[in-house]
Amino acid sequence: MDVSNILTSHAAKYASVTVEKETPLDVDSGFLTVTDPNPIDEETYNENLEEHLQSLARDGVQALFASLFSLPTRSSPDGPLAQLPPPTTHLPRSKPLPKPKPQTKWEAFAAAKGIQHKIRDKKEWDEERQEWVNRWGRNGKNKQIEEQWITEVPLNADADYDPRKVARDARKERVAKNEKKHAQNVARAIAASNPREVRKKEIDKTLATTRISTASMGKFDKKLDGEKKIRGVKRKFDPTEKSVSDEAKASVALLSRLESDSKKTRREPREEESVLNTRKAVRFASKGQGGLALGRESTGGGRGRGGRGRGRGGKR
């Protein structure tokens, strides 16, 4: 029995799902892309461009579908879904690689001394509760004194001593100190990476300060070559006509400001302190010799120049 015709018809039936190329197509199922490394047939390209492009597209799509149907699947409400493998094509980065982060002052010191960095756990064991609690944040261990219902008060504390307020202020002070150190580290890192830019900003800031030091806010000053216009600097004038209440408030505010400035510059002497500077007076009266020399001269017990002369005269 001759079955060659049956095999030929069967092969012709599934010929549309096979892709035969001199160089196999590069199929990346992870990105759903197909790359054809074969050279272009110039004859078919010039003869019928549209048909040639459709043939290439058909071969690529057929190869992609064949690779997808060979992947493992999983069921879903919408039907079976193919599990895509990791991509094999390396794509270029859209942005440059991040620059190495400069070391902080502590990191540089630790590297020089060989100190190993240890990451502190977010949880801390509480002996009273016998459980793990947060070290920071909500219900943190650092807020234990602020939230506990009874707190020990020192013996020398004032009558209005509030231990919760003291603990809260100390915690906020630590937070502010850490933020200040972070800002200093950032500024130090910027200065180390680009000192010229930092110097330029300092010069611009100094120049802007000198510009607004005049009464006209630098409006009539001579401009330098390439100097940018300072924005947001305007002189504010109070209205010439005011209500009586506004003028009284302005006068009271001015007097209170003057009084506060005078208190800062002038310090009242304490009760136990004397108005007279005793040390300076003794130094002036003894002509720089000190209090002991002044005491000997006042009591006459010291050996003066005249005493030495009388002794020499007696011997003669």
Side-chain angles (χ1 to χ4, degrees):
M1 181 177 179
D2 189 7
V3 293
S4 60
N5 295 332
I6 300 176
L7 294 177
T8 303
S9 61
H10 182 77
K13 180 179 180 181
Y14 291 97
S16 60
V17 297
T18 59
V19 178
E20 295 181 359
K21 294 281 187 178
E22 295 181 2
T23 304
L25 299 179
D26 186 7
V27 181
D28 188 353
S29 302
F31 283 144
L32 301 178
T33 57
V34 179
T35 305
D36 189 356
N38 295 281
I40 298 176
D41 189 0
E42 186 176 357
E43 183 179 354
T44 57
Y45 182 84
N46 295 329
E47 182 179 354
N48 193 341
L49 177 61
E50 189 69 21
E51 183 179 352
H52 178 71
L53 294 178
Q54 288 182 1
S55 175
L56 293 178
R58 178 262 168 198
D59 293 342
V61 173
Q62 184 60 53
L64 178 61
F65 272 86
S67 64
L68 291 179
F69 277 97
S70 63
L71 296 176
T73 59
R74 61 181 179 86
S75 59
S76 69
D78 298 330
L81 298 178
Q83 297 180 0
L84 299 180
T88 58
T89 305
H90 297 283
L91 298 179
R93 290 178 58 91
S94 60
K95 296 181 179 179
L97 291 173
K99 296 181 180 179
K101 189 176 180 181
Q103 290 184 339
T104 61
K105 190 175 181 180
W106 164 251
E107 290 175 350
F109 175 79
K113 297 296 181 179
I115 302 175
Q116 299 294 332
H117 177 67
K118 296 181 180 180
I119 301 177
R120 302 180 66 181
D121 297 333
K122 296 182 180 181
K123 296 288 185 177
E124 186 177 358
W125 179 257
D126 192 348
E127 295 292 342
E128 297 180 0
R129 302 180 186 178
Q130 292 296 315
E131 61 180 3
W132 292 95
V133 297
N134 295 328
R135 189 183 296 271
W136 307 283
R138 186 171 181 268
N139 299 328
K141 189 71 174 178
N142 60 336
K143 299 180 182 178
Q144 182 179 5
I145 302 179
E146 304 175 22
E147 298 177 355
Q148 62 186 7
W149 65 278
I150 185 171
T151 308
E152 184 179 358
V153 178
L155 296 176
N156 57 349
D158 298 334
D160 56 346
Y161 178 80
D162 187 0
R164 293 185 177 182
K165 184 178 182 302
V166 173
R168 190 186 310 110
D169 294 344
R171 179 174 56 83
K172 290 184 177 181
E173 185 178 356
R174 291 193 300 268
V175 173
K177 184 178 179 180
N178 292 335
E179 292 178 353
K180 183 179 179 181
K181 287 186 177 181
H182 176 68
Q184 291 176 354
N185 289 330
V186 172
R188 191 183 300 108
I190 295 175
S193 60
N194 195 352
R196 184 175 181 180
E197 189 68 22
V198 176
R199 180 58 180 166
K200 182 179 179 182
K201 290 183 179 180
E202 291 179 356
I203 294 175
D204 293 342
K205 184 178 180 180
T206 305
L207 182 61
T209 305
T210 57
R211 289 300 187 194
I212 63 176
S213 61
T214 58
S216 62
M217 308 295 286
K219 183 177 181 180
F220 302 101
D221 295 345
K222 184 179 179 181
K223 303 295 183 182
L224 301 176
D225 295 338
E227 182 181 357
K228 297 181 180 180
K229 184 179 179 181
I230 303 175
R231 298 183 178 274
V233 179
K234 294 182 180 180
R235 188 177 179 183
K236 296 182 180 180
F237 296 93
D238 295 333
T240 55
E241 296 182 1
K242 288 185 178 180
S243 61
V244 179
S245 60
D246 294 343
E247 189 172 355
K249 290 180 181 178
S251 301
V252 171
L254 179 60
L255 291 175
S256 62
R257 196 183 309 116
L258 292 175
E259 185 179 359
S260 62
D261 293 341
S262 62
K263 287 181 179 179
K264 293 179 181 178
T265 56
R266 185 181 69 253
R267 186 178 66 88
E268 297 294 337
R270 300 178 182 176
E271 297 180 358
E272 61 271 10
E273 293 181 355
S274 175
V275 179
L276 177 63
N277 192 341
T278 309
R279 182 174 303 207
K280 186 176 181 179
V282 171
R283 186 169 61 250
F284 178 77
S286 63
K287 297 181 180 180
Q289 297 181 3
L292 296 177
L294 184 62
R296 287 196 296 267
E297 290 181 2
S298 61
T299 56
R303 292 189 304 170
R305 188 176 298 176
R308 290 195 298 269
R310 284 193 298 272
R312 292 173 185 174
K315 289 181 181 180
R316 290 177 185 174

